Amino acid sequence: MIHSNHFMQYAINEARKAFDTAEVPVGAVIVCGEQIITKVHNLSISDMDITAHAEILALREASHKLQTRYLTECDLYVTLEPCAMCAYAISLARIRRLYFGAYDPKTGGVDHGPCIFAHSSTHHKPEYYGGIEERRCSKLLKDFFINKR
Amino acid sequence: MIHSNHFMQYAINEARKAFDTAEVPVGAVIVCGEQIITKVHNLSISDMDITAHAEILALREASHKLQTRYLTECDLYVTLEPCAMCAYAISLARIRRLYFGAYDPKTGGVDHGPCIFAHSSTHHKPEYYGGIEERRCSKLLKDFFINKR
């Protein structure tokens, strides 16, 4: 079995592309079996769309590629703890496992704030692991916001 | 000032279109001033996209039409209480007022479950009103799910 850090590397590469185009540097990868289905990054500014977070784009693209709305055999890797919008979308898409990098105490929706997977009304709850390659994921974000000041 | 029931009527008409195409009947309208910017309905099945809820499509379309990510002067009308994904997207888009029709105790994310607008980490909280044309909005949903059984 390929280690989760392996796939997170691809998500970090995507986050770097976001960084280079002045988007908040978050990248996401969806994996099925041991195959990468989609690699994307946040496009909120260039798409002029607040819903164009990396996770939403990844779910949409994977559904189109696999021709199914339900990604029950897929795992999602993302460099930042998903917000509530993305966490609930991950549940709706029935993602099997979620791996995220940096924790986000301010706007995270998995281990913080609305803690989407903690509610009985969230029918599908993926297995999830935070802090995968955390230092590298959060460094990109810190560098980005330092440049913004 | 035009009464909120007026704009909800357009959202109900959109929900009917969803009903007629075997989509879960939810419709949404975004209004700026007293002008309708976008009228859409749920397209999750036909778009093969679990994120294609009426609210998400409405936010995306309004942002493209108005050429801004932040819909601070806009109000959103939707026939069903938004789920957590849509509620957080509404917050991200900085919608001014949210009017919804039927309450959704099972998967609603505004007055139920994760109660997205109740968290201090949800930075923008729209003014919101539930139960607008509630009976008509929920009848469409009940009729839809009865047909499904």
Side-chain angles (χ1 to χ4, degrees):
Chain A
M1 190 195 155
I2 301 175
H3 201 276
S4 61
N5 299 50
H6 170 79
F7 292 116
M8 189 59 85
Q9 184 55 56
Y10 289 89
I12 293 171
N13 291 348
E14 284 295 318
R16 282 220 186 86
K17 289 186 202 167
F19 187 100
D20 291 342
T21 55
E23 295 274 1
V24 175
V26 180
V29 169
I30 288 180
V31 175
C32 187
E34 298 205 334
Q35 200 186 345
I36 292 176
I37 305 299
T38 177
K39 297 181 291 182
V40 294
H41 57 80
N42 177 28
L43 286 172
S44 302
I45 298 170
S46 50
D47 278 4
M48 202 173 286
D49 175 7
I50 55 87
T51 75
H53 285 190
E55 301 93 313
I56 300 286
L57 299 175
L59 295 172
R60 201 178 295 152
E61 197 173 301
S63 280
H64 285 169
K65 282 194 180 167
L66 300 175
Q67 286 292 297
T68 172
R69 286 188 295 158
Y70 301 121
L71 305 168
T72 50
E73 303 295 314
C74 295
D75 300 331
L76 189 147
Y77 294 78
V78 57
T79 57
L80 180 64
E81 178 184 347
C83 72
M85 171 180 74
C86 293
Y88 201 75
I90 286 164
S91 169
L92 288 173
R94 303 183 196 167
I95 283 285
R96 186 177 62 166
R97 291 194 198 106
L98 163 66
Y99 299 89
F100 65 83
Y103 288 89
D104 185 354
K106 279 192 188 161
T107 56
V110 174
D111 273 346
H112 298 94
C115 296
I116 292 297
F117 304 138
H119 296 272
S120 59
S121 58
T122 302
H123 299 304
H124 173 80
K125 295 166 194 194
E127 219 178 284
Y128 76 88
Y129 306 92
I132 313 290
E133 295 283 6
E134 182 176 9
R135 269 173 56 186
R136 294 174 61 215
C137 291
S138 67
K139 186 175 184 312
L140 258 178
L141 286 153
K142 277 177 196 152
D143 289 350
F144 179 82
F145 286 110
I146 284 169
N147 288 342
K148 285 279 167 195
R149 269 175 218 139
Chain B
M1 192 193 152
I2 299 176
H3 201 276
S4 61
N5 299 50
H6 170 79
F7 292 117
M8 189 59 85
Q9 182 55 56
Y10 289 90
I12 294 170
N13 291 348
E14 284 296 317
R16 283 221 185 85
K17 289 186 203 167
F19 187 100
D20 292 342
T21 55
E23 296 275 1
V24 175
V26 180
V29 170
I30 287 180
V31 175
C32 188
E34 298 203 335
Q35 200 185 346
I36 291 177
I37 304 300
T38 176
K39 296 182 291 183
V40 294
H41 58 82
N42 178 28
L43 286 172
S44 302
I45 297 171
S46 50
D47 277 5
M48 202 173 286
D49 176 6
I50 54 87
T51 75
H53 285 189
E55 299 94 314
I56 300 286
L57 300 176
L59 294 172
R60 200 177 296 152
E61 196 173 303
S63 280
H64 286 170
K65 282 194 180 168
L66 300 176
Q67 287 291 298
T68 173
R69 288 189 294 156
Y70 301 120
L71 304 168
T72 48
E73 302 296 314
C74 294
D75 301 331
L76 189 146
Y77 294 77
V78 57
T79 57
L80 180 65
E81 179 184 345
C83 73
M85 171 181 75
C86 293
Y88 201 74
I90 286 165
S91 169
L92 288 173
R94 303 182 196 168
I95 284 284
R96 186 178 61 166
R97 291 194 197 105
L98 163 67
Y99 299 90
F100 65 83
Y103 287 90
D104 185 355
K106 279 191 188 161
T107 55
V110 174
D111 272 345
H112 298 94
C115 295
I116 293 297
F117 304 138
H119 296 272
S120 59
S121 59
T122 301
H123 299 302
H124 173 80
K125 296 167 194 193
E127 218 180 284
Y128 76 89
Y129 306 92
I132 312 292
E133 295 283 6
E134 182 176 10
R135 271 171 58 185
R136 293 174 63 214
C137 292
S138 68
K139 187 175 184 312
L140 257 177
L141 286 153
K142 276 178 198 153
D143 290 350
F144 180 81
F145 286 111
I146 282 169
N147 287 341
K148 284 279 166 193
R149 271 177 215 135

